[in-house]
Amino acid sequence: MGAVRDGESGGGRRNGGAARRTAWTRAGLAATGLGAIAAVALLAPGGGAAVAGAAESGGAGHGDRVARQLQRDTQAVVTAGATGVTAETVDADGRRSTARAGVDDLERRGEVPEDAYYRIGSDTKTFTAVVALQLVEEGRLALEDTVEELLPGVVTGNGNDGGRITVTNLLRHTSGLPNYTDILFLSDLDAFTPENYRETRFSTSDNAEKVALAMTEAPGWLPDAADPQGETRWAYSNTNYILAGMIIEKVTGHPWEHEVHERIIEPLGLAHTLTPGTSAYVPRPTATGYMQFPGRQELTDTSLMADAGADGAIISTTRDMNTFLRALLGGELLEPATLELMKETVPAEDFAPGGGYGLGIAWRPVEGASPQRCADGGLWFHGGTSFGTVSETGVSADGRYSAAAAAYTLWLDDQDKAQEQFRAGIGLVDRAVCGGR
């Protein structure tokens, strides 16, 4: 995320000199109400569909039908407003279907690359949670450990109390901690402009500053001191996953990026998944990411963006995201008992209407879900938004069916059209994974 320094935003200073900054991340957008995903239908259709892999049990004709449906669904996201979209689905037989629509850039108007890289935003949180849970399996961390025990003196002030918050509370968003990106956005909405974005897109901030900023606000609640693990109150907070990344580093002696690479990226062969550090660039091939800023009609190229952490930094592709999700729900990354713990949810209507949020992964019901695909009537997902990119994912409970898509447009002003694009993206994933309506 880029940052806005005090002199640029006209703001004061908090926390003994910590600069107030404006963050550019998905989760902050979603949590502030700016993150409803939408767009205007500007473009003529482009791109095509392909089917790869072994034949499905339904035969070649069935595979063609899957590809045609995926192409229709991908085009629907563009019709709703995305400048460009790429999507891939994988079925129980390992057959991969891909589709593209829209254009890679409003000026060049070429095809969106099939293997395009994109920022996955808060889909990063699932990677971070897997690392934390692997450390639990190794006995190096306990879900009952408190933040105060692991990071003494970090979560304190204005009623915040790290002694009342466990690792479970962080991963499940039941901590009650203030969301540092809420503060960053709401403290100075006048700074949320294309001009300020261009000025600050290479700026960075560190974890300590983000957490310190969160501590300038009172918590929404404190988990019950007698049973913090049983907390069911839920509110999305990027601060939780910044702290989770800090805990991973404290326990292992390595940055969270190192552990994600060694434990997930390398073992699964995710050759197109990376953590960019302070780089503002997305590798090629990619497509231009666009965003409509509040109060503006035009789209701004927001492809460049530096600075993100364990809450939203990873860059990947649809193929790698499908591989990760199938491996996770298929039991390749966690022991069965740990995976079941990950899937224990609390109600999270704001995030998944009718569903719930677990330890870094969420579940939602799918209307008309096929019992053969989604026996529990829904799918597992997370999703993520960064400036100019919307990541949508889904996977069946057994890991046999999955879908990943990236739309290269984020509109923040027209909420009706925002919801139209959002519904189109959700529909694509639901039909691909569960055969939903």
Side-chain angles (χ1 to χ4, degrees):
M1 93 197 91
V4 178
R5 291 180 292 275
D6 283 36
E8 296 162 343
S9 66
R13 289 185 176 270
R14 294 167 150 174
N15 264 337
R20 181 174 66 189
R21 298 172 182 267
T22 297
W24 318 103
T25 64
R26 170 192 176 120
L29 297 172
T32 59
L34 297 174
I37 299 144
V40 176
L42 298 173
L43 307 171
V51 179
E56 292 190 33
S57 58
H62 180 71
D64 290 342
R65 289 195 297 275
V66 171
R68 288 194 297 269
Q69 182 63 59
L70 180 61
Q71 185 61 50
R72 286 193 294 270
D73 287 339
T74 305
Q75 182 59 50
V77 181
V78 169
T79 301
T83 56
V85 180
T86 183
E88 182 192 79
T89 67
V90 190
D91 70 9
D93 295 325
R95 179 189 296 270
R96 293 179 182 268
S97 300
T98 62
R100 295 167 286 161
V103 296
D104 67 337
D105 182 90
L106 290 175
E107 294 183 3
R108 293 190 300 269
R109 302 189 73 82
E111 286 191 335
V112 177
E114 182 177 309
D115 55 348
Y117 287 92
Y118 59 97
R119 291 187 174 90
I120 69 171
S122 286
D123 270 318
T124 299
K125 290 180 173 66
T126 309
F127 287 77
T128 302
V130 168
V131 171
L133 290 169
Q134 287 184 350
L135 293 171
V136 171
E137 290 180 341
E138 295 164 11
R140 303 169 69 182
L141 184 65
L143 290 173
E144 298 81 10
D145 288 344
T146 68
V147 174
E148 181 62 24
E149 291 169 336
L150 296 162
L151 302 171
V154 172
V155 173
T156 187
N158 289 301
N160 293 286
D161 183 356
R164 296 272 293 273
I165 298 168
T166 68
V167 174
T168 291
N169 298 138
L170 296 179
L171 299 182
R172 195 175 278 151
H173 291 300
T174 56
S175 68
L177 284 172
N179 185 359
Y180 77 93
T181 49
D182 275 357
I183 302 169
L184 291 166
F185 280 113
L186 298 177
S187 65
D188 194 354
L189 285 175
D190 290 340
F192 196 36
T193 65
E195 295 77 17
N196 210 19
Y197 156 75
R198 293 190 186 98
E199 180 69 22
T200 63
R201 57 190 170 173
F202 290 95
S203 300
T204 62
S205 58
D206 60 33
N207 291 331
E209 182 178 16
K210 294 168 186 172
V211 175
L213 185 55
M215 295 303 101
T216 65
E217 302 286 347
W221 64 83
L222 288 175
D224 185 348
D227 181 26
Q229 299 292 87
E231 181 61 65
T232 60
R233 287 172 290 183
W234 185 90
Y236 199 92
S237 175
N238 286 305
T239 309
N240 290 322
Y241 275 78
I242 292 297
L243 289 164
M246 295 170 69
I247 288 169
I248 288 169
E249 181 167 0
K250 178 68 175 292
V251 170
T252 66
H254 301 130
W256 70 272
E257 297 99 326
H258 175 104
E259 295 299 322
V260 165
H261 181 88
E262 297 297 308
R263 294 168 177 273
I264 301 174
I265 293 175
E266 187 169 305
L268 295 182
L270 305 182
H272 302 285
T273 299
L274 63 139
T275 53
T278 59
S279 173
Y281 297 94
V282 175
R284 294 185 182 275
T286 188
T288 301
Y290 293 99
M291 193 170 84
Q292 179 207 34
F293 283 81
R296 303 294 181 103
Q297 294 298 312
E298 74 279 4
L299 288 169
T300 298
D301 178 346
T302 50
S303 300
L304 298 181
M305 181 178 65
D307 189 23
D311 57 336
I314 290 177
I315 294 170
S316 191
T317 63
T318 55
R319 174 158 293 209
D320 274 11
M321 288 302 294
N322 276 308
T323 299
F324 167 63
L325 291 169
R326 290 164 67 83
L328 174 58
L329 274 294
E332 296 181 37
L333 294 173
L334 297 172
E335 297 294 331
T338 309
L339 183 57
E340 288 308 306
L341 277 176
M342 188 181 202
K343 293 161 66 176
E344 290 183 4
T345 65
V346 296
E349 285 290 325
D350 291 343
F351 196 84
Y357 198 98
L359 302 177
I361 197 167
W363 181 88
R364 70 169 181 258
V366 174
E367 183 180 0
S370 164
Q372 289 73 38
R373 293 187 179 195
C374 297
D376 58 356
L379 57 76
W380 292 91
F381 76 105
H382 199 285
T385 301
S386 60
F387 267 29
T389 310
V390 179
S391 171
E392 295 292 353
T393 56
V395 62
S396 59
D398 57 10
R400 297 170 69 236
Y401 291 87
S402 67
Y408 289 89
T409 315
L410 179 66
W411 294 67
L412 299 180
D413 218 42
D414 191 326
Q415 292 300 293
D416 290 337
K417 292 179 179 177
Q419 290 303 315
E420 184 179 350
Q421 182 178 323
F422 176 75
R423 286 191 294 268
I426 293 297
L428 182 157
V429 172
D430 286 356
R431 278 183 287 276
V433 177
C434 294
R437 298 172 187 169

